[in-house]
Amino acid sequence: MKKGGLSLQKNSLRLFGLNTRKILFSPVVYWKEILAGLMILFAFIFFRGERKELQDIIPNIENADLFWLLTGMAITALYVFLQSGMYVRCFASIGLRLKWIDALELFLKRNFLSIFLPAGGVSALAYTPSQLRKRGFNKTQINQASGLYGFAGMFTVFLVGLPVVILLAFSSQRQFDSAWVALLFVVLILAGTVWVARSLKRKESLYRFFEKKFPRALPVIDELFSANVTQRKYAGAIAFSTGVELTGMAHVYIAMMALGLHGSLTIAAVGYMVSVLLMVISPFLRGLGAVEMSLVYILEVYGYSTLQALSVTVLYRVFEFWLPMALGLIAFAWRGRQLFVRIAPALLIFTLGIINIISVVTPPEHHRLRLLRKFMPLDAINASGAVVLFVGLVLLITSAYMFKGLKNAWRLAILMTVISLIGNLTKALDYEEATFAAATLVLLLTSRNQYPVKSNLRLVRFGLYSVIIVVLSILIFGFVSFYFINPRVFGIDFTWRQSLLYSVQIFLLGGNDNLVPHTPFGHQFIWIFQLLGFMSWGFLLFAIIKPHFKSEPVSGSARKKAAELLSEFGKSPVDYFKVSNDKLLFFSDLYDAFVSYRVANGFAIVLEEPVCAEDHKTEVLAEFLNECKKMGLKVAFYRVGQNSILWFDELRKKKVIIGQEAILDVEMFNLEGRNNKSLRNALNSLNKKGFVTEILRSPLKSALVADLKKVSDEWLVLSEREEQVFSQGMFDEKEITKHDVIICRDPSATIVAFLNIIPDFAPEECTYDLIRRRENAPGGCMDALIIKMVDYARENKFRYINLGLAPMTGITHPQNPAEQIIKYASEKFKRFRHYQGLRDFKEKYTTIWEDKYLVYENDYDLLQLPAALNKVMQP
């Protein structure tokens, strides 16, 4: 029974092409994982076992000599400089010029990643910042320079370590009697490294071994060893690397001197070399724990106490490990600094609002309050508390609008933060809250350029007029109510002065100790009046920050003018949609030009670029951007072609690739060859079954349009989609009547699939909009429609057919984090995988793939644009 089960398992595995002998009998040694686990155990043992001593070293660190601490930090800066110099010289040795700033970024980021990646520094060498790709370096060149960098680092470890090992071998310390073994080990590794490099470079025995056993590795080996290395320049990299090792020894020595201990360069050299060897072999966390244990042990051997050894070790690791790691984190964060500067103030404003509210509702410090009452009356202190509470609520609302980049929200945040700073001091001497407000104020002032969206003054003025009317109405309501209310409600027969005074006080969200309700109605009246006051203040806040944007409908004459400009300047396959009824139109005051856009979520989303003469594009873009700024709108440009990017580069806009547009060259296309065999078979199968394709000219008859509508409706249900617009059309019976269509009929003459041909303003090109089918239509129907359109193009003397956009595909080399995310999402998330299917369909016909971009202002806009784009694409 067991034998049969095993046989069944083997047979099942063979079905998938797996070698069961290898599966059952090939052992795998996970040496990297075991070594990593060992290093982590060392870290645990060290930090757990020495926890009491680690607590005791804090006073030693706090009392360290400031001069030596600053010297240690300066040596860390020199260490970073030397590491960057290694990269500069390694690139120079293969004929490439690497800028120092790029070398600095490359080292800091790779050093940071080496802490967390398996195999440490070796794995980190695979990371390449996008900045290097933008400089024009290809992957082969970067790998070659990185390999030289890694070899230089290893070589100098042996070079500098060799004298140290010899020193240990002749040392009087009995613990190092076996140093000759380490020396032999060093010599063997060094000789082995040289032999491996020479054998692979000259294609000798080791190369032939790889050629026989691992042929797939040969391209990588050939790539790495194809560079002609300039020895003189590479010697510079060796010199820089030697300097790196010397700075490490200096760090140990400086740690001794900073703590007031006897410094010894010999001990520093021995301790450093042992620790760096452990870092080299550690596959994870760069020897964290093991390095500390070994250095403490060595220092104790040379007569230092455990406390002294721990203090030196911790300070050394701060210089050599923690500071470079922090700089690496900053290097990664620096790329997102604009996003940080944009988000941080809004988060701080929200936090300050929470702090204000909590500060008011919690009891104050009594000794502070007694001190404050010597300088301020109690009423003023109470009023300050009420103001801080109100400001806290305003700040919570303001933070939401700051995320949208509104200039008025930033101005209001400045005002409220200043009031918070003063109010927290005058309500209970809460200097902690005031300090936080001051820090927030500084960040707000430094981030003023991050809030460019201005509100339309006319709309703000209209909003303020509305607020004034509302406020006056509520005050009149309060005045009349107090004056005529029954005296028993509050125990007061209000005069007109009292009615006005109490109305204003309650409206301002304040109160009065003399106004005490005596009936339930009195409590309800105060509550309603305060609620109305709070809503009025909120209305005022909304009117100032975010006035209502109302777009004017586009007149028929304006669309006619735009259509005339299209006939003169149009050059795009989606120009047809720029005069659709869903678009707003901006006409230039300077030239014959217009921009087609829609508004959503505070963005003006433009379809491609302006329609005008080529020489006027930049000026029209600047004119439109200025107009949007006046209207309080941010701007993004959707589906910009790669040939149009230069105009946006001049305006310093950012871009992200969103997909590729497929173009079929009619003259180059045919059905011959092995690659099109499956396509020919599908078309032949359709013909045998009696399916036919036809080209029907416009205007279409109403009965035909009704049949097409049925196909379209069934396709929407089948694909679980809804109609979309903006850069494409929806099924509109009036519009499709004007279009030529290609249909596919089944043997019973029922239309099972269609596409409609729309005007294409690109030279020598035609295109289609909708391509839809019934549920029971054979898969080859869509191919039959495209093949028939090739006939249509040839008949009408078109050179190209634009097959439309394949979204989120074609991103082979992402240039920024946004493109990396798009590429990852398209490959990993199920909801986006159908885009790859769309690309596969178009790939059969495509001759040219053209990149299409989304152009935007700053990185923060990318967080809001998906929702805005989704909205503009809804009918």
Side-chain angles (χ1 to χ4, degrees):
M1 190 70 179
K2 290 181 181 180
K3 183 176 179 180
L6 182 58
S7 176
L8 177 62
Q9 289 176 0
K10 289 184 178 181
N11 291 333
S12 300
L13 290 170
R14 289 194 186 99
L15 290 175
F16 294 96
L18 300 178
N19 189 321
T20 55
R21 181 182 298 274
K22 290 185 178 180
I23 291 174
L24 294 175
F25 302 110
S26 294
V28 177
V29 180
Y30 299 96
W31 66 269
K32 291 182 180 179
E33 290 79 0
I34 294 171
L35 192 54
L38 183 61
M39 292 296 174
I40 293 173
L41 284 174
F42 279 142
F44 172 76
I45 293 298
F46 174 77
F47 289 108
R48 183 71 177 85
E50 305 289 347
R51 65 187 187 281
K52 184 179 184 302
E53 289 77 5
L54 287 171
Q55 292 174 355
D56 293 338
I57 69 171
I58 294 176
N60 287 2
I61 302 293
E62 291 176 346
N63 296 324
D65 189 292
L66 181 60
F67 169 78
W68 286 107
L69 289 178
L70 294 176
T71 303
M73 293 179 185
I75 295 297
T76 299
L78 177 61
Y79 164 80
V80 173
F81 169 80
L82 292 171
Q83 290 277 12
S84 304
M86 286 179 63
Y87 276 114
V88 171
R89 301 305 295 178
C90 287
F91 274 82
S93 68
I94 58 173
L96 301 174
R97 183 177 179 272
L98 179 67
K99 293 183 177 181
W100 277 89
I101 188 66
D102 294 335
L104 176 65
E105 179 189 8
L106 182 61
F107 163 67
L108 290 176
K109 289 185 174 180
R110 283 183 171 180
N111 179 71
F112 181 82
L113 291 174
S114 69
I115 299 170
F116 305 102
L117 289 178
V122 178
S123 298
L125 291 177
Y127 170 75
T128 302
S130 60
Q131 196 66 24
L132 290 189
R133 296 192 294 270
K134 292 178 182 178
R135 302 293 188 203
F137 299 147
N138 60 44
K139 186 176 180 181
T140 300
Q141 294 170 330
I142 295 171
N143 287 341
Q144 289 169 345
S146 299
L148 291 172
Y149 169 88
F151 181 80
M154 292 293 293
F155 177 76
T156 53
V157 167
F158 303 139
L159 183 67
V160 176
L162 188 60
V164 175
V165 173
I166 294 174
L167 178 66
L168 289 176
F170 293 99
S171 172
S172 60
Q173 300 289 340
R174 296 182 60 188
Q175 290 86 345
F176 303 130
D177 286 345
S178 59
W180 283 106
V181 178
L183 178 60
L184 179 61
F185 181 71
V186 168
V187 173
L188 289 174
I189 290 182
L190 185 57
T193 304
V194 172
W195 177 80
V196 167
R198 180 174 296 180
S199 180
L200 293 176
K201 176 75 174 177
R202 298 179 179 180
K203 299 186 177 181
E204 295 176 347
S205 58
L206 184 60
Y207 184 89
R208 291 192 295 271
F209 172 79
F210 275 96
E211 188 176 29
K212 182 178 180 181
K213 297 293 185 180
F214 308 101
R216 292 184 179 181
L218 290 182
V220 178
I221 295 172
D222 293 337
E223 182 181 87
L224 287 175
F225 289 92
S226 63
N228 294 317
V229 180
T230 305
Q231 294 183 0
R232 181 177 59 83
K233 293 182 178 180
Y234 190 57
I238 299 295
F240 276 116
S241 186
T242 304
V244 168
E245 309 306 335
L246 295 178
T247 58
M249 297 177 184
H251 273 146
V252 180
Y253 178 79
I254 289 170
M256 296 173 178
M257 300 303 294
L259 296 168
L261 304 175
H262 169 68
S264 170
L265 289 174
T266 302
I267 299 173
V270 172
Y272 169 75
M273 288 313 304
V274 172
S275 66
V276 81
L277 285 173
L278 281 171
M279 278 194 290
V280 169
I281 67 172
S282 173
F284 193 61
L285 292 177
R286 297 193 66 189
L288 185 65
V291 170
E292 284 79 3
M293 287 182 68
S294 63
L295 188 52
V296 169
Y297 171 74
I298 290 170
L299 292 174
E300 287 179 337
V301 166
Y302 279 101
Y304 291 88
S305 68
T306 301
L307 185 60
Q308 291 172 337
L310 278 171
S311 301
V312 171
T313 300
V314 169
L315 194 54
Y316 158 71
R317 290 291 268 176
V318 167
F319 292 141
E320 180 271 343
F321 179 82
W322 296 106
L323 282 180
M325 187 186 78
L327 291 173
L329 182 61
I330 293 171
F332 274 106
W334 185 251
R335 284 290 304 275
R337 61 191 182 278
Q338 290 186 342
L339 189 63
F340 171 80
V341 173
R342 178 65 179 277
I343 293 177
L347 293 176
L348 287 178
I349 284 297
F350 181 83
T351 305
L352 182 59
I354 296 292
I355 289 174
N356 281 358
I357 294 171
I358 294 175
S359 179
V360 171
V361 299
T362 53
E365 297 282 344
H366 293 295
H367 65 281
R368 296 184 188 179
L369 196 57
R370 285 195 298 270
L371 178 62
L372 186 61
R373 290 188 63 178
K374 295 179 181 180
F375 303 96
M376 290 181 62
L378 184 60
D379 289 342
I381 295 174
N382 292 335
S384 296
V387 169
V388 170
L389 177 62
F390 174 72
V391 168
L393 296 172
V394 172
L395 287 172
L396 295 181
I397 300 172
T398 305
S399 65
Y401 290 103
M402 287 186 67
F403 278 114
K404 299 182 179 181
L406 300 178
K407 178 66 76 174
N408 279 352
W410 176 82
R411 289 169 177 159
L412 185 62
I414 289 284
L415 176 62
M416 294 297 105
T417 303
V418 171
I419 296 174
S420 293
L421 194 158
I422 299 171
N424 277 296
L425 291 175
T426 57
K427 75 177 178 63
L429 286 180
D430 292 328
Y431 60 84
E432 298 92 346
E433 290 89 332
T435 301
F436 187 85
T440 303
L441 181 62
V442 171
L443 187 57
L444 282 171
L445 292 173
T446 57
S447 63
R448 60 186 180 277
N449 294 331
Q450 298 295 320
Y451 302 92
V453 184
K454 296 181 178 180
S455 300
N456 188 302
L457 292 178
R458 183 175 63 85
L459 295 175
V460 171
R461 197 177 299 116
F462 172 78
L464 290 177
Y465 289 156
S466 301
V467 170
I468 290 172
I469 293 172
V470 171
V471 169
L472 289 176
S473 300
I474 293 174
L475 289 176
I476 291 171
F477 162 75
F479 173 78
V480 172
S481 298
F482 274 120
Y483 189 76
F484 290 103
I485 202 167
N486 194 310
R488 68 183 180 84
V489 175
F490 291 98
I492 302 173
D493 189 4
F494 295 99
T495 65
W496 71 270
R497 291 180 183 272
Q498 290 175 314
S499 300
L500 181 61
L501 176 63
Y502 289 136
S503 296
V504 172
Q505 285 181 337
I506 297 176
F507 178 79
L508 295 174
L509 303 181
N512 192 298
D513 294 337
N514 297 326
L515 192 64
V516 180
H518 292 177
T519 65
F521 172 68
H523 288 283
Q524 295 169 3
F525 177 77
I526 294 295
W527 183 84
I528 291 172
F529 202 179
Q530 288 177 333
L531 178 62
L532 290 173
F534 181 79
M535 293 174 64
S536 300
W537 283 108
F539 185 24
L540 173 62
L541 182 66
F542 184 80
I544 293 174
I545 296 179
K546 184 63 175 175
H548 176 63
F549 175 81
K550 184 178 180 181
S551 58
E552 299 292 335
V554 180
S555 64
S557 60
R559 295 199 185 277
K560 184 178 179 182
K561 179 182 177 181
E564 293 172 356
L565 292 174
L566 269 183
S567 62
E568 183 177 358
F569 301 115
K571 291 185 178 181
S572 165
V574 296
D575 278 345
Y576 173 75
F577 301 111
K578 292 178 181 178
V579 293
S580 300
N581 291 332
D582 63 306
K583 304 297 190 303
L584 299 174
L585 302 177
F586 166 81
F587 289 93
S588 171
D589 293 330
L590 304 175
Y591 306 103
D592 288 334
F594 79 93
V595 177
S596 177
Y597 68 101
R598 290 190 76 181
V599 175
N601 298 355
F603 282 92
I605 309 292
V606 179
L607 182 55
E608 293 189 321
E609 66 265 358
V611 177
C612 62
E614 299 286 317
D615 296 340
H616 302 152
K617 293 269 187 179
T618 304
E619 290 89 343
V620 174
L621 280 170
E623 185 184 3
F624 177 72
L625 289 169
N626 187 55
E627 185 64 24
C628 287
K629 190 174 182 180
K630 292 178 181 177
M631 293 189 294
L633 294 172
K634 292 171 284 186
V635 185
F637 300 84
Y638 177 74
R639 204 164 166 169
V640 177
Q642 58 193 36
N643 296 326
S644 303
I645 283 296
L646 61 95
W647 297 311
F648 299 95
D649 289 340
E650 290 180 14
L651 297 170
R652 296 184 178 181
K653 301 298 179 185
K654 297 190 175 185
K655 65 182 183 293
V656 58
I657 186 171
I658 55 172
Q660 290 185 313
E661 199 168 71
I663 300 172
L664 185 156
D665 189 328
V666 175
E667 293 182 2
M668 297 178 63
F669 179 78
N670 61 71
L671 291 172
E672 304 300 323
R674 293 176 57 186
N675 293 337
N676 290 325
K677 182 178 179 181
S678 60
L679 184 58
R680 292 194 303 270
N681 292 338
L683 295 175
N684 292 335
S685 175
L686 279 178
N687 291 333
K688 291 178 182 178
K689 293 177 181 177
F691 288 84
V692 295
T693 53
E694 301 176 54
I695 301 173
L696 303 178
R697 305 288 179 172
S698 63
L700 305 182
K701 295 181 179 180
S702 56
L704 174 60
V705 173
D707 289 340
L708 298 179
K709 181 72 164 58
K710 293 177 182 177
V711 176
S712 177
D713 292 344
E714 190 170 331
W715 179 85
L716 290 172
V717 174
L718 173 66
S719 59
E720 298 181 345
R721 299 179 187 176
E722 297 180 353
E723 296 281 18
Q724 290 190 328
V725 292
F726 196 63
S727 62
Q728 62 191 64
M730 57 185 292
F731 193 95
D732 186 318
E733 295 179 17
K734 292 182 180 179
E735 284 296 315
I736 206 167
T737 302
K738 307 172 188 177
H739 301 159
D740 294 343
V741 297
I742 299 176
I743 61 171
C744 180
R745 297 184 188 271
D746 65 10
S748 64
T750 302
I751 298 175
V752 295
F754 77 92
L755 66 76
N756 65 313
I757 302 170
I758 60 173
D760 187 337
F761 291 85
E764 299 183 89
E765 186 178 273
C766 62
T767 189
Y768 62 89
D769 180 22
L770 308 177
I771 178 168
R772 297 178 176 180
R773 67 179 180 86
R774 290 183 180 272
E775 183 176 5
N776 60 353
C781 286
M782 297 299 207
D783 292 308
L785 295 176
I786 298 297
I787 298 301
K788 197 67 176 179
M789 188 161 184
V790 173
D791 296 338
Y792 176 89
R794 287 170 175 158
E795 180 183 332
N796 292 276
K797 296 181 171 54
F798 289 114
R799 171 72 184 275
Y800 303 101
I801 299 175
N802 191 297
L803 301 174
L805 184 70
M808 299 178 69
T809 62
I811 309 175
T812 54
H813 301 291
Q815 297 298 311
N816 50 58
E819 291 182 1
Q820 291 172 349
I821 292 172
I822 293 174
K823 186 175 187 297
Y824 180 84
S826 65
E827 294 173 349
K828 302 298 181 181
F829 294 115
K830 186 177 180 180
R831 62 175 298 184
F832 300 124
R833 286 179 188 165
H834 68 278
Y835 291 136
Q836 186 59 49
L838 178 63
R839 183 183 180 91
D840 293 340
F841 172 76
K842 295 180 179 182
E843 189 81 60
K844 294 179 287 188
Y845 310 101
T846 301
T847 313
I848 304 166
W849 286 103
E850 181 179 340
D851 294 339
K852 291 295 178 178
Y853 295 90
L854 174 67
V855 177
Y856 57 97
E857 185 67 34
N858 56 62
D859 292 336
Y860 182 75
D861 289 348
L862 287 178
L863 301 177
Q864 301 171 297
L865 275 169
L869 286 170
N870 183 64
K871 193 170 182 179
V872 299
M873 291 180 183
Q874 304 305 316

